[in-house]
């Protein structure tokens, strides 16, 4: 269980990037792979999409409920950790359309929408923005013409802005938002836990990149502590930005039990550690370099989440559910530049490996240089294929719905 | 003088990109060259900086006046056509610091700032966003610590968002902004004037890319008409977004007299036309291709601007001044990746040519392909050097201050 700690003071980081030195590295370096190439997040995020799709009804019922109970003239919606790719705008579309339909069904005035897309400043916002004209046109077509109305008199009904900055800092003015959505982001910590290193800066987690069976107990404690700090901070910040009665739907990776080692999320890191071992034995990377590398990730247990929400105190927990989402048998397709659907011929293990590469490449390149990536993920994919032949891995995802008190 | 025309209805385009088919091309294609390479706008916009610097006192006095007369708790500021490069954030810094200083001097509460950076969706927002963490840190240092306070209780005092979309469409909700700044943008029309082409789509402006001595009178009329439509539309849209008493400072290229041909702005296009002629004679580009190309640019006269403001009716004109800004003898330096100041060894003509390339490359590449660019701008630079040896060219810039009634 996470150790209790004094509530941290609000970070000075704002929309536009944080300024605390401790979070500097992650904030300046970490991003999903940009663009639309073969190693891009855009083409390797079908697992993430599957997870958010599985609880789409929860997201849509929650935003609908906020709309019906507050009937705002102008509705503020934020997607925190929006990344760039097909998932980014499709979730905006679903939310906006649901509220629009509900308003028409119930005879309520349709609000004007203010949509804020947030991610770290190194995220590929250009790709999202370039897709906006087509996205707006599509929204308008499906709405049946009349891009105007809603909120302002004759104004457009949707405004979309990009809001770069860490969500472990304030992003919006007070009482600015009605609904916050965050998918596949909150398992990323603000930094690698400082507790992983001794006073001389030497890793206590040698030979591993996350909590593994070989890790000493302080490692799991350091991760749990960092999660508690970060998640409590996140809740406190968002409680300022949300109106009373506003809601958050948070989708992130978690653990099935209080045990840290499972066949869900920790196992994927365990295999990455093993892939590193192969590279070390081949002399392709130095052992010390690997010892010094740890991911800024944590999959909490339900109890850890509940405890943080309760002790922070600004939110009522309306739902906390766990579900398994994997990409097995799922489509592995993407649109090519001509808009045709293409299939990628890759084994399941390779596909998972590419998914992990798309989210980890920025941090790995920063630490190791880019030279080892192909070799590392080739080996990782091979190990995944082997393991998946023996037993299935199902990453566990949580969906958490919170209402601002 | 611009022909009168019925006031156009509000475009459905919103922040996030427009959807009117007529403006589609420009909106999807046009952007200043991104990144920080040798042909980037970032490294070739010292002329634009010089122009906005020359009237910086006007900008700062205007925003100060808005602050003092409205004393907002939360101040909305937009930079329309922000582009990407050193100019983008330096103007934000100047404005925010001026209001901060004034608030302290007069003992007024410092507002929270909401800063919206707008440009077309193809603008390089990634470069701006990646500079934000350092920018925020610098602002905070110069402010003397305490990144908090201002507006919200203990919240940060500045929020910066990117707002992609055409400013010939609505960008913000009603009464959202206190101050609008736009530098070097409003001389760009929403599209190439349709009046330049006959019913069969053939250009009436053969052999020229803008109004030149050889252009028939309909060409100047078509440009003036398009400017009147666009500028009136712009004023109407902004009047919705600004609070009463809010102000706009608009800096854009103009003409010294009502005559269309001058040694200011039209001359630069004239030389570009001549550079094209050289390429045609060498067989490097087809004559028909050049005939079909016209820029979506217009340098209005003072009378045209005054007339549009008056007939639109939402704004009081507080100032309309003309000034010359050139880069002669100006620095031609840039920071390299290590932050050292570097000088570029280029003739003045070459420097001007690179400046025009940085703003025109996207449109030229779209029409001609990228193959001719080096050759075209090599020739353009040569012609500029020749001409500038004979007589100076001083682009004329207008500064217009409008107060929302």
């Amino acid at each position: 269980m996470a150790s209790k700690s004094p509530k941290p003071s609000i970070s000075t980081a704002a929309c536009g990037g944080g300024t605390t030195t401790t979070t500097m590295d992650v904030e300046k370096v970490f991003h999903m792979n940009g663009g639309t190439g073969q190693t891009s997040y855009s083409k390797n995020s079908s697992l993430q999409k599957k997870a958010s799709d599985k609880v789409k009804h929860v997201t849509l019922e929650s935003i609908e409920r906020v709309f019906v109970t507050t009937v705002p003239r102008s509705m503020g919606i934020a997607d925190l950790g929006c990344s760039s790719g097909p998932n980014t705008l499709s979730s905006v579309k679903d939310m906006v359309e649901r509220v629009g339909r509900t308003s028409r069904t119930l005879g309520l005035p349709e609000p004007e929408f203010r949509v804020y897309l947030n991610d770290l400043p190194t995220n590929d916002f250009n790709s999202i923005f370039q897709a906006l004209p087509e996205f707006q046109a599509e929204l308008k077509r499906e709405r049946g013409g009349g891009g105007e109305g809603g909120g302002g008199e004759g104004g457009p009904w949707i405004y979309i802005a990009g809001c770069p900055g860490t969500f472990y800092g304030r992003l919006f003015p007070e009482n600015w938002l009605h609904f916050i959505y965050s998918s596949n982001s909150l398992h990323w910590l603000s930094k690698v836990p400082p507790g992983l290193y001794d006073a001389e800066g030497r890793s206590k987690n040698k030979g591993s990149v996350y909590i593994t069976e070989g890790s000493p107990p302080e490692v799991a404690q350091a991760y749990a502590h960092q999660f508690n700090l970060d998640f409590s901070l996140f809740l406190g910040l968002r409680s300022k930005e949300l109106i009373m009665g506003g809601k958050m739907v948070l989708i992130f990776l978690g653990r099935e039990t209080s045990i840290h080692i499972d066949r869900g999320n920790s196992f994927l890191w365990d295999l990455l550690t093993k892939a590193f071992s192969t590279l070390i034995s081949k002399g392709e990377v130095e052992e010390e370099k690997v010892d010094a590398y740890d991911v800024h990730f944590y999959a909490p247990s339900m109890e850890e989440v509940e405890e943080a929400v309760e002790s922070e105190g600004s939110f009522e927990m309306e739902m906390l559910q766990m579900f398994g989402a994997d990409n097995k048998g799922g489509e592995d397709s993407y649109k090519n530049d001509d808009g045709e659907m293409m299939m990628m011929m890759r084994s399941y293990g390779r596909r998972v490996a590419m998914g992990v590469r798309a989210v980890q490449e920025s941090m790995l390149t920063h630490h190791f240089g880019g030279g080892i990536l192909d070799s590392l993920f080739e080996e990782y994919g091979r190990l995944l294929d082997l393991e998946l032949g023996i037993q299935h891995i199902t990453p566990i995802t949580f969906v958490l719905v919170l209402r601002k008190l």
Side-chain angles (χ1 to χ4, degrees), chain A:
Chain A
M1 189 164 292
S3 59
K4 295 253 179 181
S5 63
K7 226 174 120 188
S9 69
I10 290 173
S11 155
T12 58
C15 181
T19 50
T20 46
T21 49
T22 42
T23 64
M24 205 61 105
D25 253 2
V26 166
E27 203 180 326
K28 281 196 170 166
V29 175
F30 184 52
H31 56 269
M32 304 298 109
N33 279 358
T36 54
Q38 292 302 310
T39 60
S40 65
Y41 182 75
S42 179
K43 292 233 171 87
N44 292 284
S45 49
S46 55
L47 180 60
Q48 285 88 341
K49 178 155 177 54
K50 211 147 196 178
S52 53
D53 276 357
K54 232 175 170 171
V55 291
K56 194 156 92 175
H57 62 287
V58 174
T59 305
L60 299 184
E61 279 157 23
S62 299
I63 195 170
E64 179 177 59
R65 207 68 219 129
V66 172
F67 168 65
V68 171
T69 52
T70 63
V71 197
R73 200 191 72 81
S74 176
M75 190 168 193
I77 302 171
D79 181 348
L80 306 186
C82 64
S83 75
S84 74
N87 305 356
T88 307
L89 292 176
S90 75
S91 49
V92 171
K93 185 164 177 280
D94 292 338
M95 291 188 274
V96 163
E97 286 183 345
R98 177 62 163 260
V99 172
R101 252 202 313 279
T102 303
S103 75
R104 287 188 290 278
T105 308
L106 300 182
L108 295 169
E110 183 171 9
E112 149 197 293
F113 296 98
R114 291 174 286 114
V115 177
Y116 302 96
L117 302 175
N118 155 265
D119 210 314
L120 289 174
T122 43
N123 182 53
D124 186 3
F125 281 94
N126 283 355
S127 292
I128 308 175
F129 289 176
Q130 279 154 26
L132 278 178
E134 184 46 45
F135 175 73
Q136 296 265 102
E138 188 187 323
L139 266 187
K140 195 185 153 196
R141 268 197 310 276
E142 295 186 7
R143 201 163 168 269
E148 287 158 26
E153 295 148 9
W157 89 103
I158 181 164
Y159 300 95
I160 301 179
C163 217
T166 171
F167 52 55
Y168 295 120
R170 272 290 290 279
L171 293 165
F172 306 100
E174 277 175 53
N175 299 312
W176 202 249
L177 300 173
H178 297 75
F179 189 72
I180 290 174
Y181 172 77
S182 177
S183 179
N184 282 286
S185 299
L186 272 162
H187 42 247
W188 297 112
L189 301 171
S190 69
K191 57 184 163 192
V192 177
L196 293 184
Y197 307 95
D198 65 18
E200 279 77 46
R202 282 184 304 253
S203 175
K204 299 176 188 169
N205 197 27
K206 285 191 175 140
S208 302
V209 301
Y210 184 58
I211 309 162
T212 52
E213 280 178 5
S215 303
E218 305 98 275
V219 169
Q221 280 160 20
Y223 270 107
H225 179 65
Q226 189 62 46
F227 173 78
N228 185 264
L229 282 180
D230 285 344
F231 193 62
S232 304
L233 175 62
F234 178 87
L235 295 173
L237 294 162
R238 300 296 86 79
S239 79
K240 297 263 191 300
E241 296 162 355
L242 273 173
I243 62 153
M244 203 183 294
K247 290 191 189 187
M248 300 206 275
V249 172
L250 310 176
I251 301 161
F252 51 95
L253 296 171
R255 312 199 299 282
E256 217 163 342
T257 68
S258 63
I259 296 163
H260 283 282
I261 315 300
D262 61 17
R263 296 261 325 159
N265 300 303
S266 77
F267 192 70
L268 289 173
W269 299 117
D270 202 24
L271 286 186
L272 188 62
T273 299
K274 290 202 170 76
F276 267 120
S277 302
T278 309
L279 264 65
I280 293 171
S281 68
K282 286 185 184 167
E284 291 181 28
V285 62
E286 287 168 34
E287 191 166 358
E288 295 73 39
K289 261 317 218 189
V290 178
D291 285 346
Y293 188 75
D294 296 281
V295 294
H296 66 294
F297 168 93
Y298 186 68
S301 68
M302 281 198 153
E303 290 69 33
E304 287 168 335
V305 172
E306 278 169 357
E307 191 199 88
V309 171
E310 205 167 294
S311 83
E312 194 278 331
S314 313
F315 292 92
E316 185 199 340
M317 197 163 87
E318 294 197 325
M319 178 190 284
L320 175 56
Q321 278 184 6
M322 161 187 314
F323 60 99
D326 65 55
N327 208 15
K328 191 118 190 168
E331 76 292 357
D332 189 25
S333 60
Y334 63 96
K335 275 189 192 163
N336 70 8
D337 292 341
D338 298 325
E340 298 165 310
M341 289 307 289
M342 306 293 285
M343 293 299 291
M344 279 194 262
M345 292 302 133
R346 299 186 301 197
S347 69
Y348 180 51
R350 254 67 169 190
R351 235 154 68 196
V352 173
M354 288 299 272
V356 173
R357 177 172 180 163
V359 304
Q360 268 290 297
E361 181 162 323
S362 60
M363 297 300 280
L364 289 167
T365 302
H366 183 68
H367 187 84
F368 295 100
I372 62 159
L373 288 172
D374 286 341
S375 172
L376 179 68
F377 283 97
E378 179 65 34
E379 174 65 7
Y380 187 44
R382 199 185 63 80
L383 291 173
L384 277 162
D385 272 335
L386 275 178
E387 274 296 332
L388 293 166
I390 302 164
Q391 200 191 331
H392 204 45
I393 297 174
T394 305
I396 297 297
T397 301
F398 289 170
V399 55
L400 171 65
V401 182
L402 298 175
R403 193 173 66 85
K404 165 81 185 296
L405 294 170

